[in-house]
């Protein structure tokens, strides 16, 4: 008889922390990765890779693998995955929780303009701006096609599309230090930071640098996700649902 099994929707540091914590408590855990990163940081325990094939595919997986609970620890911007997870959980009756770090909030000295999408953020850059864009590669073409704007686009995975001469792609994986971010902004004469409100302590060095240098920030707000019980960290989630999750 197979022990009850928890599915973690991963691709984040929070997901790796959760897998490690649950395994340390004797849980049977499988983490799912989308398979979009060439060399992902792997969590402890079993890992599966690749899409499920929509909410129906995920529902089939939940049944076949006898999943007892789903924890959606995917990135705050992975809205499609989160929507499909809620649908599949409803269809199969499997309980679902979400682990999601709180968004960043502006502090004294910050100058943020909110954008609801990457295309809105790209449109907010005035002609002649030099932007540091840290939104990954998926939606970067909206910036690269602005011929009146130049700058740096930072991402983890290489970008396969055309890169106009006014733009430079930087391949780097966080975390970064405040010094590193200040130097990057200063050396490249950056006039605006464009980023997504991912949240989390480690990656906010860029926001600290923008604050220190008086740089305006265009902040892309999180997409909406269906409401499920949501916890800001692993400890809170396990405290609230230990009875359901732990053996
Ligand atoms: P998305 O737009 O919400 O999802 C697109 C499709 O990718 C989903 O429909 C699903 O395919 C598949 N997928 C996504 N996450 C998956 C997972 N954990 N396991 C299996 N399949 C998954 O997702 P995204 O924004 O492209 O993000 C992809 C992955 O990168 C996620 O795991 C996310 O946590 C991570 N990530 C995203 C960002 C970001 O800014 N978006 C940043 C850091 C990490 P099917 O429909 O075939 O099931």
């Amino acid at each position: 008889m197979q022990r009850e099994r928890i599915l973690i929707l991963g691709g984040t540091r929070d997901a790796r922390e959760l897998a490690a914590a649950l395994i340390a408590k004797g849980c049977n855990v499988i983490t799912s990765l989308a398979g979009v990163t060439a060399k992902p940081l792997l969590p402890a325990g079993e890992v599966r890779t690749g899409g499920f094939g929509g909410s129906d595919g995920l529902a089939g997986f939940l049944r076949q693998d006898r999943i007892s609970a789903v924890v959606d620890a995917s990135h705050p911007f992975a809205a499609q995955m989160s929507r499909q997870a809620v649908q599949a959980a409803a269809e199969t009756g499997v309980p679902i929780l979400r682990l999601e770090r709180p968004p960043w909030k502006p502090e004294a000295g910050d100058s943020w303009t909110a954008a609801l999408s990457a295309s809105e953020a790209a449109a907010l850059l005035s002609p002649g701006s030099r932007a540091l864009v840290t939104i990954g590669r998926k939606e970067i073409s909206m910036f690269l096609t602005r011929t009146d704007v130049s700058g740096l686009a930072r991402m983890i995975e290489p970008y396969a599309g055309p890169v106009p001469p006014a733009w430079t792609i930087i391949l780097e994986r966080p975390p970064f230090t405040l010094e590193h971010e200040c130097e990057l902004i200063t050396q490249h004469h950056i006039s605006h930071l464009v980023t997504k409100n991912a949240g989390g302590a480690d990656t906010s060095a860029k926001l600290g640098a923008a604050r220190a240098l008086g740089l305006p920030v265009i902040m892309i707000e999180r997409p909406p996700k269906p409401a499920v019980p949501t916890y800001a960290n692993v400890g809170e989630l396990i405290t609230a649902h230990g009875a359901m999750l732990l053996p």
Side-chain angles (χ1 to χ4, degrees):
M1 176 75 181
Q2 192 184 16
R3 268 192 303 158
E4 293 207 327
R5 221 167 177 220
I6 300 162
L7 172 66
I8 299 176
L9 299 173
T12 59
R13 178 182 160 164
D14 290 335
R16 292 191 294 278
E17 283 180 8
L18 179 64
L22 290 176
I23 288 168
K25 290 179 183 296
C27 298
N28 181 8
V29 168
I30 179 168
T31 297
S32 176
L33 300 178
V36 291
T37 306
K39 287 184 189 158
L41 300 174
L42 292 174
E46 195 178 339
V47 176
R48 67 159 302 282
T49 302
F52 295 97
S55 60
D56 289 346
L58 177 54
F61 180 89
L62 298 182
R63 289 192 189 99
Q64 199 174 335
D65 267 54
R66 300 179 179 219
I67 298 296
S68 55
V70 177
V71 182
D72 176 9
S74 63
H75 193 268
F77 280 77
Q80 185 173 323
M81 186 68 257
S82 295
R83 273 197 307 275
Q84 290 175 181
V86 170
Q87 282 168 19
E91 191 182 320
T92 54
V94 174
I96 182 165
L97 309 171
R98 186 173 299 138
L99 177 61
E100 190 172 81
R101 48 200 155 144
W104 292 312
K105 294 210 167 73
E107 295 178 16
D110 283 336
S111 164
W112 290 14
T113 302
L116 292 179
S117 63
S119 55
E120 195 178 305
L124 282 169
L125 287 168
S126 47
S129 303
R130 254 189 89 65
L132 169 60
V133 186
T134 65
I135 64 162
R137 64 177 168 172
K138 206 171 155 185
E139 297 175 294
I140 198 67
S141 64
M142 294 164 200
F143 293 85
L144 302 183
T145 48
R146 279 285 306 262
T147 52
D148 54 345
V149 168
S150 63
L152 308 175
R154 183 164 71 191
M155 56 196 71
I156 296 174
E157 295 291 313
Y159 176 67
V163 181
W167 285 90
T168 303
I169 305 281
I170 309 180
L171 299 180
E172 276 184 327
R173 194 192 279 270
F176 305 109
T177 63
L178 181 66
E179 293 70 31
H180 175 279
E181 301 298 69
C182 284
E183 204 176 306
L184 188 70
I185 289 167
T186 311
Q187 269 187 0
H188 292 271
H189 309 289
I190 295 300
S191 64
H192 293 77
L193 170 66
V194 181
T195 192
K196 301 199 266 198
N197 200 336
D202 275 0
T203 47
S204 60
K206 59 191 165 192
L207 296 177
R211 191 174 306 130
L213 298 170
L215 197 74
V217 176
I218 298 177
M219 182 63 76
I220 304 174
E221 298 300 330
R222 293 179 173 190
K225 292 191 174 191
V228 297
T230 299
Y231 301 89
N233 59 56
V234 170
E236 283 178 21
L237 185 136
I238 292 180
T239 302
H241 293 281
M244 175 175 83
L245 297 173
L246 303 184

